[in-house]
Amino acid sequence: MKYIVAKMEEWDAVARAVAGDLKPGTVITLSGPLGAGKTTFVQALSRILGAKTNPRSPSFSLVRSYKLPATSYQLSQLIHVDAYRIDDAQDLLPLGLDELLSEPGTVMAFEWPERAEAWLRSVPDVRRITIESDPSGVRRVDVR
Amino acid sequence: MKPLRVLGIETSCDETAISILEIGRGGARRAVSVQIKVNLVSSQVPIHQKYGGVVPEVAARSHVAETVSLLSQALDLPQPLLGKEGAIRSPLTKGRYRGVFDAIAVTSGPGLATALRVGIEAGRVLAMLSGKPIVGVNHLEGHLASAWLNAENRKCWKYPMLALVVSGGHTELVLMKDACKYKIVGQTRDDAAGEAFDKTAKLMGLPYPGGPEIARLALEGDPAGFDLPRPMMNDKTLDFSFSGLKTAVRLAWEPWTRGPDTLREKAKRDLAASVQQAIVDVLVKKTIDAAKKYKVKGVLLVGGVSANTLLRDTLAAALEERLPGVAYLPSDRAYITDNAAMIAAAGWWRLSKGERHDWKKIEAKPEWNL
């Protein structure tokens, strides 16, 4: 599916469509340059999923987790990972991502997946989102 | 009251740090005196420069080696800790050795779990062997205490106060209602201010860490050279948003990447100055708003980004002009980046209120909120 996002509010439509077929164990990867809107998408997704706290950039802490209300989408936890500062999938091991992902009702949003393809290949259910930004600031979003 | 010697241990991110403070109350007004006996910091920034950031496994491995090395330097052990029959000798707690301590303060969060655990395990082992009390300290409370390490600041320490905590991972306005009583009244909704410096620097092709590079280029740049947004500057909340700056900088910089070198270098200096001005404008505006709203008696400026000279000068001038009588309490440059003296100081705040933690139960809290 392809989307055009010209205004902030339009991220909600993309997030709603993606939220519609998430199931526990799904990893959503987010590719695009700095400032493309990867974290902005995760904020929209968390809102749609009913999280109470607004995700902030996890670049520094690498991983942040958000509790989800049981009522929405049968999911209980959104994990937000940012591999911006990771060089090699090996470096992800200490974060225990496999363990986190196997917790009940967990979905994961994963920024900078290019740096961790070796780990992502071991994940059965990966959805890929690519964001491109043109010089006027309009985003083209591709969801696979 | 006998002065208390607090051993501080900090391993939450890039720096491994060990410190021993001697803190006591004396004189008619029972003023607190702080002596910094030991202050050792080993930075991993050179290692991480290669990666453009922190790598958890590398960080943890390096923390293990550095913690052991710094602790043996700090404690200056005159003899093995265990005697012939396995009995614990007490060089850690008695005598005139430089490394003697009465209590332990260790950062238990927030931070990288693998990195935090190194310092925590070291603290637990020392608590077990020495039988001395231990407290787990919040890293952000440590940053607040970094301003208190300055004797002039301590003289003006009157609650309520407001702290602007700015670093690579944090941008928070903390209302300090009373000793150890905090409320976060504003924070970033996306990127931290330090992260905004690092990432816009990266977009302009500058090395990591980006903050000092931007500040250096900005010295000869025009802060009005580029029209950058001040996100959320005039809304009613005390929250920040720096994420939009990345997009703005990317779009502003893109045309210059193709231009002739001489023009590009000028544009780079102007853009650096404009980015710095945008970040500082928002930080100062919201800090003043918050200080007014909560009628505080002092404003702290702490954390890695508080090294930025424009931020220090602008906040000082704004306070003097708009809120005369409110004390400006920045931490000394020596204690801005992560260190263990600030952890020992925050630990003393807790200890002097009677707080003690069970060494068997202290654990890493990577997402611990203040």
Side-chain angles (χ1 to χ4, degrees):
Chain A
M1 241 347 234
K2 288 189 196 306
Y3 302 82
I4 303 285
V5 175
K7 284 188 298 217
M8 285 291 269
E9 306 81 76
E10 291 169 3
W11 283 109
D12 285 6
V14 188
R16 207 166 282 121
V18 171
D21 37 64
L22 286 178
K23 51 184 197 291
T26 303
V27 174
I28 308 150
T29 67
L30 292 149
S31 302
L34 276 178
K38 298 181 291 297
T39 299
T40 307
F41 168 81
V42 178
Q43 292 178 332
L45 181 66
S46 83
R47 233 179 1 254
I48 301 293
L49 295 177
K52 284 214 179 79
T53 37
N54 173 48
R56 286 173 282 153
S57 167
S59 293
F60 192 75
S61 53
L62 305 170
V63 181
R64 289 184 194 266
S65 56
Y66 301 92
K67 291 268 163 282
L68 302 175
T71 46
S72 74
Y73 299 91
Q74 317 300 312
L75 296 169
S76 55
Q77 185 177 218
L78 171 66
I79 307 281
H80 188 186
V81 183
D82 189 339
Y84 178 66
R85 305 203 287 171
I86 297 276
D87 217 29
D88 186 317
Q90 273 301 100
D91 294 327
L92 288 170
L93 293 177
L95 298 178
L97 296 183
D98 288 315
E99 252 173 83
L100 280 171
L101 196 57
S102 64
E103 286 173 16
T106 299
V107 287
M108 186 179 283
F110 200 115
E111 299 192 27
W112 299 96
E114 303 75 13
R115 318 225 168 147
E117 284 302 336
W119 179 74
L120 285 163
R121 275 196 292 276
S122 73
V123 176
D125 185 18
V126 179
R127 312 214 58 202
R128 294 195 178 263
I129 299 181
T130 310
I131 309 172
E132 286 169 13
S133 172
D134 68 20
S136 66
V138 171
R139 268 70 165 183
R140 285 162 213 289
V141 185
D142 184 23
V143 182
R144 284 160 201 258
Chain B
M1 192 172 78
K2 192 174 152 280
L4 197 73
R5 282 199 171 209
V6 185
L7 170 71
I9 305 173
E10 154 67 37
T11 62
S12 68
C13 190
D14 280 4
E15 271 82 22
T16 316
I18 304 288
S19 181
I20 299 179
L21 299 189
E22 187 174 294
I23 306 180
R25 286 182 203 274
R29 293 167 53 218
R30 303 197 17 94
V32 173
S33 70
V34 179
Q35 273 189 58
I36 296 168
K37 295 286 179 189
V38 178
N39 189 36
L40 302 170
V41 181
S42 164
S43 175
Q44 298 182 11
V45 169
I47 303 173
H48 297 312
Q49 254 161 358
K50 181 169 158 280
Y51 297 97
V54 180
V55 179
E57 179 59 30
V58 179
R61 253 184 282 142
S62 160
H63 276 308
V64 172
E66 290 303 319
T67 303
V68 172
S69 150
L70 297 189
L71 266 177
S72 46
Q73 270 185 67
L75 299 177
D76 193 20
L77 294 180
Q79 56 187 335
L81 202 55
L82 297 181
K84 268 188 192 148
E85 292 82 34
I88 299 160
R89 291 175 177 157
S90 54
L92 298 175
T93 55
K94 276 192 197 138
R96 18 177 207 91
Y97 305 111
R98 188 173 78 117
V100 165
F101 62 85
D102 306 306
I104 302 161
V106 60
T107 307
S108 22
L112 298 177
T114 48
L116 286 165
R117 275 184 209 121
V118 177
I120 290 172
E121 289 311 316
R124 292 172 61 169
V125 169
L126 286 170
M128 180 187 76
L129 288 177
S130 67
K132 293 292 167 182
I134 183 167
V135 284
V137 170
N138 185 301
H139 182 78
L140 286 183
E141 188 171 29
H143 275 300
L144 302 181
S146 73
W148 183 83
L149 287 172
N150 176 304
E152 291 305 310
N153 287 353
R154 279 202 302 280
K155 285 182 194 160
C156 307
W157 209 262
K158 291 190 187 78
Y159 298 101
M161 290 184 285
L162 178 80
L164 173 62
V165 186
V166 265
S167 68
H170 292 280
T171 301
E172 266 123 25
L173 281 168
V174 180
L175 177 64
M176 304 164 69
K177 291 186 270 194
D178 204 342
C180 303
K181 286 213 168 64
Y182 311 115
K183 187 183 173 195
I184 291 175
V185 293
Q187 62 185 320
T188 182
R189 295 197 177 168
D190 38 56
D191 296 358
E195 184 179 353
F197 273 115
D198 283 342
K199 288 189 172 171
T200 52
K202 175 118 181 170
L203 286 165
M204 294 161 63
L206 303 174
Y208 172 90
E213 279 297 313
I214 294 221
R216 189 180 60 79
L217 286 169
L219 286 175
E220 292 170 31
D222 175 6
F226 286 83
D227 186 18
L228 297 177
R230 268 68 169 159
M232 298 185 66
M233 182 139 108
N234 294 313
D235 80 341
K236 282 187 188 127
T237 73
L238 294 169
D239 285 347
F240 305 91
S241 165
F242 292 108
S243 172
L245 261 186
K246 288 181 305 209
T247 312
V249 167
R250 190 161 50 80
L251 297 178
W253 181 240
E254 209 272 330
W256 296 96
T257 56
R258 293 183 301 266
D261 283 0
T262 45
L263 287 178
R264 183 163 63 234
E265 288 310 305
K266 180 178 179 334
K268 191 183 267 184
R269 291 193 294 271
D270 288 352
L271 187 53
S274 304
V275 166
Q276 177 176 252
Q277 193 67 52
I279 294 173
V280 168
D281 280 353
V282 181
L283 290 174
V284 170
K285 162 79 163 51
K286 295 267 170 162
T287 305
I288 297 287
D289 286 354
K292 273 188 176 165
K293 181 172 176 188
Y294 293 100
K295 301 187 174 60
V296 297
K297 293 182 178 136
V299 172
L300 281 65
L301 175 61
V302 299
V305 176
S306 74
N308 185 281
T309 304
L310 184 72
L311 175 60
R312 288 175 93 89
D313 294 351
T314 312
L315 183 58
L319 277 171
E320 200 177 308
E321 189 193 317
R322 314 227 356 239
L323 292 168
V326 173
Y328 171 53
L329 311 165
S331 57
D332 291 349
R333 285 183 184 272
Y335 303 105
I336 279 174
T337 50
D338 293 351
N339 63 83
M342 69 183 199
I343 300 303
W348 186 83
W349 290 357
R350 297 278 164 183
L351 290 158
S352 61
K353 292 186 74 183
E355 221 171 282
R356 302 284 185 274
H357 300 160
D358 183 348
W359 64 263
K360 295 187 204 75
K361 291 183 186 156
I362 293 186
E363 48 181 46
K365 295 186 254 184
E367 300 188 52
W368 188 9
N369 287 322
L370 192 65

